[in-house]
């Protein structure tokens, strides 16, 4: 006997089976996409990135002297006269290593003199940095910025890294445009660092002012003097950062010889 609704029930069952099959197929596709997505992420996710510079062993050589804080002219000649001999004496080569989530490791090593200088002349390199507004304040700045040439060479030698925009670099094919973009990133990082230095200095000054107020109430002159010294040090840091930021805004308008160490001392700087 024909039972009303039996045909509809059969069709509903078939439709449910088809929907389940479609859902399973959809989930399978998602799984495959996720698998390949994870592999792609593994290829672009940096696990470690190391920039290192190897010291030179020269026990029989008298160490070259250099100023702790450089306030000379921000020119290639002035900077090289102050730091280049010590840089050559202290360091021999630089290494750059990048490892990714899929186990792929890229590495590069270049000699400080000869090889890297032939590819990126330190005279031209320093000139480009200064023209962009970079201020080199001490030997550590000099070492870091000259060593950055090795990272650029490392990127130039590994086109796979350039294709994925490694280190946030733009996808640029022209070598000169790529170099300019790389230096622009160094400049942007330096500006960010100076802004952070200013904020830290302002906080140090504010905390020291609070300590002075407490010490005066407690009749502790030594604490007052100590806090004033902290304000003085923070003021120097603040003004150095301010002068450096002004140089980025107008790299050719400031006097070549930096004079922040000759500014008349003030207990409470204009913030």
């Amino acid at each position: 006997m024909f039972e009303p609704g039996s045909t509809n029930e059969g069709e509903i069952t078939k439709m449910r089976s088809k929907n389940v099959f479609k859902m399973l197929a959809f989930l399978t596709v998602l799984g495959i996409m996720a698998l390949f997505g994870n592999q792609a992420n593994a290829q672009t996710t940096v696990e470690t990135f190391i920039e290192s510079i190897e010291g030179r062993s020269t026990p029989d050589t008298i160490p070259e002297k250099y100023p702790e804080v450089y306030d000379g002219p921000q020119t290639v000649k002035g900077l090289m006269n102050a730091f280049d001999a010590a840089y050559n004496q202290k360091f021999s080569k630089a290494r750059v290593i990048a490892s990714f989530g899929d186990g792929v490791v890229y590495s590069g090593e270049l000699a400080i003199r000869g090889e890297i200088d032939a590819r990126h002349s330190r005279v031209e390199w320093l000139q480009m940095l200064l023209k962009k507004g970079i201020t080199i304040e001490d030997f550590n700045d000099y070492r870091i910025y000259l060593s950055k040439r090795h990272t650029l060479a490392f990127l130039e030698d590994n086109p796979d890294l350039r294709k994925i925009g490694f280190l946030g670099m733009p996808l640029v094919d022209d070598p000169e445009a790529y170099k300019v973009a790389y230096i622009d990133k160094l400049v942007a990082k330096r500006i960010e660092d100076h802004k952070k230095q200013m904020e830290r200095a302002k906080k140090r000054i504010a905390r020291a002012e609070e300590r002075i107020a407490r010490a005066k109430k407690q009749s502790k002159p030594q604490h007052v003097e100590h806090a004033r010294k902290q304000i003085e040090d923070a003021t120097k840091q603040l003004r150095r950062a301010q002068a450096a930021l002004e140089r980025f805004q107008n790299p050719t308008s400031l006097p070549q010889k930096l004079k922040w160490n000759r500014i008349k001392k003030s207990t409470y700087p204009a913030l």
Side-chain angles (χ1 to χ4, degrees):
M1 175 183 285
F2 175 74
E3 295 182 3
S6 60
T7 302
N8 291 339
E9 290 177 2
E11 290 178 353
I12 291 172
T13 301
K14 288 180 182 180
M15 290 177 63
R16 286 176 176 171
S17 298
K18 288 181 180 180
N19 288 337
V20 170
F21 177 78
K22 288 180 180 179
M23 182 60 71
L24 289 173
F26 177 69
L27 291 175
T28 302
V29 171
L30 284 181
I32 293 172
M33 291 173 64
L35 174 62
F36 282 102
N38 287 336
Q39 290 177 347
N41 289 335
Q43 292 173 350
T44 57
T45 302
V46 182
E47 287 194 343
T48 58
F49 178 64
I50 301 171
E51 299 170 296
S52 64
I53 187 166
E54 184 173 308
R56 189 187 300 277
S57 178
T58 53
D60 300 327
T61 305
I62 298 174
E64 293 285 346
K65 294 183 179 180
Y66 53 85
E68 290 187 11
V69 177
Y70 179 75
D71 63 351
Q74 289 289 307
T75 61
V76 172
K77 183 178 180 180
L79 292 166
M80 293 186 75
N81 285 343
F83 300 122
D84 214 51
Y87 180 78
N88 291 333
Q89 184 192 62
K90 283 178 174 290
F91 306 114
S92 61
K93 55 188 174 183
R95 294 188 181 91
V96 183
I97 301 172
S99 64
F100 292 79
D102 59 355
V104 174
V105 177
Y106 295 84
S107 64
E109 181 179 293
L110 289 172
I112 293 293
R113 303 183 71 177
E115 189 175 5
I116 188 62
D117 284 335
R119 292 182 62 171
H120 296 294
S121 160
R122 65 180 74 183
V123 172
E124 294 178 3
W125 186 259
L126 289 169
Q127 189 62 55
M128 288 184 71
L129 293 173
L130 295 174
K131 188 176 179 180
K132 291 282 186 176
I134 290 286
T135 301
I136 294 179
E137 301 179 11
D138 52 33
F139 182 74
N140 195 50
D141 280 348
Y142 191 82
R143 172 189 65 81
I144 288 172
Y145 280 113
L146 280 190
S147 300
K148 290 295 182 182
R149 297 177 300 163
H150 295 77
T151 303
L152 176 58
F154 168 75
L155 294 172
E156 291 171 336
D157 292 341
N158 293 281
D160 290 345
L161 296 180
R162 297 201 306 275
K163 289 178 182 177
I164 63 172
F166 185 63
L167 296 181
M169 288 291 293
L171 304 179
V172 178
D173 293 328
D174 180 71
E176 283 303 313
Y178 193 82
K179 182 196 293 187
V180 171
Y182 178 78
I183 289 180
D184 284 343
K185 285 191 70 66
L186 296 182
V187 169
K189 178 64 168 61
R190 187 66 164 180
I191 290 174
E192 181 184 350
D193 290 343
H194 283 311
K195 288 180 178 179
K196 289 180 179 178
Q197 287 173 1
M198 288 180 64
E199 291 304 313
R200 287 195 296 267
K202 289 177 181 179
K203 289 179 180 178
R204 286 179 59 195
I205 291 169
R207 289 195 297 267
E209 289 174 343
E210 291 174 358
R211 284 193 290 271
I212 287 175
R214 288 196 302 269
K216 285 182 176 180
K217 288 181 179 180
Q218 297 169 358
S219 299
K220 295 181 178 179
Q222 290 183 340
H223 290 190
V224 171
E225 188 62 29
H226 179 68
R228 283 177 176 166
K229 180 63 169 60
Q230 290 178 328
I231 289 177
E232 183 180 306
D233 293 340
T235 299
K236 289 180 181 179
Q237 182 186 32
L238 178 63
R239 290 183 173 176
R240 289 220 310 259
Q242 287 174 330
L245 285 174
E246 288 175 14
R247 182 172 165 81
F248 282 115
Q249 296 170 358
N250 300 290
T252 60
S253 65
L254 293 180
Q256 289 182 327
K257 194 172 182 62
L258 304 178
K259 297 180 179 180
W260 50 58
N261 287 332
R262 298 181 178 86
I263 297 174
K264 184 177 180 181
K265 296 178 181 179
S266 172
T267 306
Y268 298 99
L271 301 181

